[in-house]
Amino acid sequence: MTDPDESDARGLKSVERAFDVIEFLRDSGGATLSETADALDLAVSTAHIHLSTLVDTGYLVRDGDEYRCSFEFLRTGGDRRDGMALYRAAKPELDELRDETGEHTNVMVEERGYSVQLYKSESPESIDDDASLGDHFYLHLTATGKAILAEFDDERVSEVLDRRGMPANTEDTITDEAVLREELETIRERGYSINRGEHFPGVCAIGTAIVSEPDGAIGAISISGPRSRLTSERIETELAPALLNKKNIIELKIRQYE
């Protein structure tokens, strides 16, 4: 007899449902039992089992009739981030780069074909897309993402684009693969990428990959701010040299951690 919680070769249906519950509560900010059951098309009794189990494990909290994700996820993600050589090496350098430029600075990693923001050093003088830590972005529409793609070979670029596609966030987003590949060649020659309003209207960013042997590109760093301030002249004469200098320092520091 087949267990009702068994799935195909990929895993257990009960585990998949539990993560559906977690993701729904994360996106909604919290919900009641009935709201969760309705949203996920689950029987109320099934939804109650999942919610109760996740409360017991500490990954959800219950406040009256409402359930929401607990800070256990913050600890899990924070522990992983804090243990990364990339984060430890980049954080102080990005704080310094923020002070030098007066703009936001960022570090990201690539995971499952997405760009994931690890840290943002915010300048009170600047503004950008107001993305939260841990946010996932398509690689083709951010400066850090394009810098990472430029380090990939053609086959791996194709794998990412086939898996994730090239949706548009703004009217300036590159959605033509041939155009993107031409830009990746320019990034390889120049050493840094530019995002001119492709992810968020009015925001510009420049990025460069952080490379560690033998792993290749392990992440990327960027400077971001209002498009009106990140002019082509300022990028070429001030921001790009400062960014590439930090790239070299961070890569050297990472080697010391290994």
Side-chain angles (χ1 to χ4, degrees), residues 16-38:
E16 294 171 357
R17 289 195 194 103
F19 278 99
D20 287 342
V21 170
I22 289 169
E23 290 173 0
F24 166 68
L25 294 177
R26 178 198 64 194
D27 295 341
S28 65
T32 65
L33 168 60
S34 61
E35 289 169 341
T36 303
D38 289 344

Side-chain angles (χ1 to χ4, degrees), residues 59-73:
Y59 284 92
L60 294 185
V61 293
R62 181 178 179 179
D63 184 8
D65 292 332
E66 187 172 87
Y67 297 85
R68 62 178 181 274
C69 294
S70 76
F71 289 116
E72 192 69 32
F73 292 99

Side-chain angles (χ1 to χ4, degrees), residues 166-187:
M166 297 180 63
N169 262 31
T170 75
E171 61 182 14
D172 293 315
T173 303
I174 297 173
T175 56
D176 185 301
E177 184 174 339
V179 174
L180 176 64
R181 288 185 181 274
E182 288 181 8
E183 181 159 344
L184 296 182
E185 284 299 324
T186 299
I187 294 167

Side-chain angles (χ1 to χ4, degrees), residues 115-202:
S115 166
V116 184
Q117 183 161 273
L118 283 186
Y119 176 69
K120 177 191 289 188
S121 188
E122 298 186 70
S123 169
E125 303 169 12
S126 190
I127 189 171
D128 66 359
D129 55 11
D130 199 30
S132 301
L133 297 182
D135 276 357
H136 288 52
F137 308 110
Y138 291 97
L139 293 177
H140 71 286
L141 50 71
T142 64
T144 48
K146 289 193 288 185
I148 287 288
L149 284 173
E151 292 293 325
F152 291 169
D153 59 28
D154 287 344
E155 182 178 354
R156 191 167 178 190
V157 171
S158 295
E159 289 175 357
V160 170
L161 299 183
D162 289 345
R163 184 179 185 186
R164 300 302 177 196
M166 297 180 63
N169 262 31
T170 75
E171 61 182 14
D172 293 315
T173 303
I174 297 173
T175 56
D176 185 301
E177 184 174 339
V179 174
L180 176 64
R181 288 185 181 274
E182 288 181 8
E183 181 159 344
L184 296 182
E185 284 299 324
T186 299
I187 294 167
R188 293 176 185 123
E189 296 170 2
R190 188 173 54 197
Y192 63 91
S193 60
I194 304 177
N195 155 27
R196 292 186 174 91
E198 297 159 49
H199 177 238
F200 196 84

Side-chain angles (χ1 to χ4, degrees), residues 192 194 196 227-241:
Y192 63 91
I194 304 177
R196 292 186 174 91
R227 195 169 177 176
S228 59
R229 285 218 302 259
L230 272 68
T231 61
S232 296
E233 180 179 359
R234 187 183 179 209
I235 289 172
E236 184 175 346
T237 61
E238 175 195 347
L239 299 181

Side-chain angles (χ1 to χ4, degrees), residues 5-117:
D5 277 338
E6 286 184 359
S7 186
D8 56 22
R10 295 179 302 169
L12 295 173
K13 287 184 179 178
S14 60
V15 176
E16 294 171 357
R17 289 195 194 103
F19 278 99
D20 287 342
V21 170
I22 289 169
E23 290 173 0
F24 166 68
L25 294 177
R26 178 198 64 194
D27 295 341
S28 65
T32 65
L33 168 60
S34 61
E35 289 169 341
T36 303
D38 289 344
L40 300 177
D41 194 24
L42 296 173
V44 171
S45 58
T46 301
H48 184 262
I49 290 171
H50 286 292
L51 290 169
S52 299
T53 301
L54 289 166
V55 168
D56 289 343
T57 59
Y59 284 92
L60 294 185
V61 293
R62 181 178 179 179
D63 184 8
D65 292 332
E66 187 172 87
Y67 297 85
R68 62 178 181 274
C69 294
S70 76
F71 289 116
E72 192 69 32
F73 292 99
L74 179 62
R75 185 174 74 169
T76 300
D79 286 349
R80 183 184 176 195
R81 184 189 72 167
D82 293 349
M84 296 177 67
L86 172 62
Y87 172 72
R88 299 200 310 271
K91 183 180 184 299
E93 301 303 327
L94 293 178
D95 290 342
E96 188 174 282
L97 185 60
R98 171 206 61 203
D99 293 340
E100 291 174 2
T101 63
E103 308 294 353
H104 294 340
T105 58
N106 312 266
V107 60
M108 59 72 68
V109 292
E110 181 271 332
E111 186 174 71
R112 300 182 299 114
Y114 290 114
S115 166
V116 184
Q117 183 161 273

